[in-house]
């Protein structure tokens, strides 16, 4: 075996928190294969139904975006992520929730053309109001998180949170995010 792969694995083991580069189980009974820290940014073309949309319309569920434009790119924060204005994009991965409870989130983008989904729950809906705080009950564990940015005037999306016991809006700590394997229909 070459020394480079051993060194790479050693570096990964040192840099990643314990348990990040392995399969983990969620309480829903599914297995999550973690591939590293951060989140996956995936870009998509304009959906055909958005061709005649204006700044107030053009919602498409992200699972219907179609084939990605290119391979996913790793990002490490939801504080502000960017995409080209003529594209749809998602940032997808997992967030580690240590304690069950009510969490508050807010999102912002141009014309509020974004959506935040955690553990299959729409937390901040498409055009629900810029920086409007929303509450959601979350279980503890590794939960899927999806931040969606829509075409037509949106170039960047920002997400903040206020976990239980906190009284101010802050960036979600980067160490709470991890990436899983991302696959979409071809």
């Amino acid at each position: 075996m070459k020394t480079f792969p051993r060194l790479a694995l050693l570096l990964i083991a040192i840099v990643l928190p314990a348990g990040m580069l392995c399969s983990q189980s969620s309480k829903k009974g599914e297995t999550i294969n973690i591939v590293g820290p951060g989140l996956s940014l995936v870009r998509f073309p304009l959906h055909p139904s958005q061709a005649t949309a204006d700044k107030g319309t053009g919602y498409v569920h992200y699972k219907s975006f179609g084939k990605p434009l290119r391979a996913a790119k790793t990002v490490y924060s939801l504080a502000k992520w960017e995409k080209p204005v003529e594209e749809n994009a998602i940032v997808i991965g997992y967030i580690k929730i240590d304690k069950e409870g009510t969490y508050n989130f807010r999102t912002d983008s141009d014309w509020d053309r974004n959506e935040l989904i955690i553990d299959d729950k729409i937390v901040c809906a498409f055009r629900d109001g810029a920086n409007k705080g929303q509450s959601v009950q979350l279980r503890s564990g590794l939960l899927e998180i999806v931040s969606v940015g829509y075409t037509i005037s949106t170039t960047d999306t920002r997400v903040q949170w206020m976990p239980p016991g906190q009284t101010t809006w802050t960036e979600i700590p980067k160490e709470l995010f991890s990436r899983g394997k991302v696959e979409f229909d071809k």
Side-chain angles (χ1 to χ4, degrees), residues 29-183:
E30 57 195 21
T31 299
I32 300 169
N33 293 312
I34 300 303
V35 296
L39 302 158
S40 297
L41 169 63
V42 185
R43 295 169 40 203
F44 298 88
L46 179 80
H47 187 273
S49 69
Q50 295 171 317
T52 59
D54 60 24
K55 292 178 180 177
T57 62
Y59 177 82
V60 176
H61 192 279
Y62 78 93
K63 290 182 180 176
S64 298
F65 282 162
K67 183 180 178 182
L69 292 169
R70 58 187 48 98
K73 170 185 165 187
T74 302
V75 296
Y76 295 94
S77 173
L78 288 177
K80 181 179 179 182
W81 62 270
E82 298 176 340
K83 65 164 198 68
V85 70
E86 69 280 0
E87 297 174 2
N88 295 296
I90 65 169
V91 173
I92 187 169
Y94 296 94
I95 182 170
K96 183 180 179 197
I97 300 296
D98 288 324
K99 183 176 149 186
E100 182 177 322
T102 302
Y103 288 74
N104 297 290
F105 293 87
R106 69 180 183 182
T107 62
D108 191 25
S109 63
D110 298 324
W111 286 85
D112 196 39
R113 297 181 60 78
N114 68 77
E115 184 173 49
L116 180 66
I117 304 159
I118 302 175
D119 202 25
D120 294 325
K121 298 174 189 173
I122 296 175
V123 179
C124 298
F126 177 78
R127 299 205 26 85
D128 67 348
N131 280 317
K132 182 179 176 186
Q134 303 290 352
S135 297
V136 62
Q137 184 71 26
L138 295 177
R139 60 189 172 86
S140 63
L142 209 51
L143 309 180
E144 184 177 61
I145 186 166
V146 183
S147 176
V148 186
Y150 290 89
T151 189
I152 308 168
S153 76
T154 296
T155 57
D156 59 72
T157 299
R158 296 162 298 284
V159 179
Q160 293 182 314
W161 80 336
M162 193 181 334
Q166 190 169 303
T167 58
T168 57
W169 294 102
T170 60
E171 178 179 338
I172 302 169
K174 296 171 185 165
E175 61 271 10
L176 297 181
F177 295 125
S178 55
R179 290 179 297 119
K181 187 174 181 181
V182 178
E183 293 182 10

Side-chain angles (χ1 to χ4, degrees), residues 10-24:
L10 177 61
L11 288 173
I12 289 169
I14 291 169
V15 173
L16 293 179
M20 287 284 286
L21 194 61
C22 63
S23 294
Q24 297 192 15

